[in-house]
Amino acid sequence: MENGKWRAAVVTLSDKGYRGERVDKSGPAVCEMLREAGYDVQKNILLPDERSEIEKCLCKLCDDEKVNIIFTTGGTGFSLRDCAPEATMAVATRNAPGIAEAMRLASLKITPRAMLSRGASVIRNRTLIINLPGSPKAARENLEAVLPSLGHGLEILNGSGGECGRS
């Protein structure tokens, strides 16, 4: 955390976006929501659906850039090229499944297709990584579902917060 703000990064995973065949709307939408919530968005990156590139990027953001939280958008579906969850799990030191479960639960109230999301949520050392869907609408809805609790989780992860239980 710098200047009282959590350091965040957003990584959009899209072959078409990377090739310039589609404008990335999800990444900027997530960045805007994070800034409005008081996060310091350090990076907004666009990558193709290439697992090795995604893994390298996530490791660099966690280990070298020392961001507190990373949101990926895209690559969570059933397409053979969708590999965000696999890349995310590959770099994890611990799983944090409740976040992805909460997003799917909230999304199921909007569309039954939410059950098709394979998005993951994990921890790599002191960085939280969360996979969001690729559509701007779904990315906003999923982020909105979990954003109020993330600050507390980051406090605990980074040793500056109390326990989650309430008396």
Side-chain angles (χ1 to χ4, degrees), residues 87-154:
T88 300
M89 294 300 288
V91 303
T93 54
R94 295 188 289 159
N95 196 4
I99 297 167
E101 291 166 1
M103 291 190 304
R104 274 188 284 278
L105 180 62
S107 289
L108 275 169
K109 295 175 184 175
I110 299 166
T111 175
R113 291 185 180 178
M115 71 178 76
L116 302 177
S117 172
R118 299 180 318 106
S121 46
V122 305
I123 295 167
R124 177 176 174 90
N125 303 319
R126 293 194 179 270
T127 303
L128 181 59
I129 306 171
I130 300 171
N131 299 152
L132 298 171
S135 90
K137 180 180 182 294
R140 281 192 299 271
E141 290 168 352
N142 277 251
L143 182 54
E144 188 175 80
V146 299
L147 194 54
S149 296
L150 296 180
H152 183 63
L154 290 171

Side-chain angles (χ1 to χ4, degrees), residues 19 21 24 105 128 163:
R19 291 191 304 257
E21 298 169 7
D24 172 28
L105 180 62
L128 181 59
E163 296 188 16

